[in-house]
Amino acid sequence: MPQIEQISEFLTSQVFWLLVFFGLTFVVVGLGMVPKILGTVEMRDGQIAGDLAAAQAARDAANSDEDAWRSRENANRAAAQGVIGEAKAKAAAANAAKLAEVQARLDARLAEAEAGIAAARNSAMAEIEGVAAEAARDIVARVAGADVEPAAAQAAVKEVMAHG
């Protein structure tokens, strides 16, 4: 077969050119392109690492800012609670003072009213004693036909009222 006989003639030249072509490809790709690609990959890795470090630094700064804000907010909240407590205490003191003033006025009015009632009772008792003494004199005059002195009738009515 003639095709098989030709293989030996052309095989060595084809293998030679195959090795030359792959050798040139290796030199161009392996020595020219691969270092550039590796440099680009290393640069990207460095840039990514730098970006991650910057992001971590930004996160740390944000966390410290948030912590500072929270502490200021807590201090402001505590100050507001203090102001509210102070206002409540002032209001309670003002209310207590007003209540004490009103209670003092009410006590004074009550004392005046009790004094008025006592005076009215004493006046009424005096009038009752006078009326009772007059009635006793009239009853004695009608029943016994005797005339009783007004002072004696008054003394008798006082004695009866004191025991009764």
Side-chain angles (χ1 to χ4, degrees):
M1 277 197 1
Q3 291 110 359
I4 297 178
E5 291 176 6
Q6 292 177 353
I7 289 179
S8 64
E9 290 178 23
F10 293 111
L11 182 64
T12 55
S13 83
Q14 286 180 350
V15 169
F16 172 75
W17 285 111
L18 180 69
L19 290 177
V20 169
F21 176 74
F22 280 119
L24 284 173
T25 304
F26 174 75
V27 168
V28 169
V29 172
L31 299 178
M33 293 172 117
V34 170
K36 288 181 183 179
I37 291 171
L38 289 178
T40 303
V41 168
E42 287 176 10
M43 183 181 71
R44 288 180 110 193
D45 287 345
Q47 186 176 8
I48 289 170
D51 290 347
L52 288 174
Q56 185 62 39
R59 176 183 284 161
D60 293 342
N63 286 341
S64 66
D65 288 347
E66 181 183 6
D67 291 341
W69 175 81
R70 285 190 190 279
S71 64
R72 281 192 317 268
E73 189 66 25
N74 289 338
N76 290 340
R77 186 173 290 122
Q81 290 296 330
V83 168
I84 289 170
E86 184 178 318
K88 282 181 180 179
K90 284 181 181 178
N95 284 341
K98 285 181 182 179
L99 285 175
E101 178 185 334
V102 169
Q103 186 64 39
R105 282 189 285 167
L106 287 175
D107 289 344
R109 287 180 66 189
L110 180 64
E112 287 176 16
E114 286 177 352
I117 289 171
R121 185 177 63 225
N122 290 338
S123 172
M125 290 302 282
E127 282 186 36
I128 288 174
E129 285 179 8
V131 169
E134 218 28 67
R137 281 184 66 213
D138 285 344
I139 291 172
V140 169
R142 286 187 187 178
V143 172
D147 189 22
V148 179
E149 291 291 318
Q154 189 80 18
V157 167
K158 279 189 182 187
E159 183 180 331
V160 169
M161 288 185 83
H163 291 297

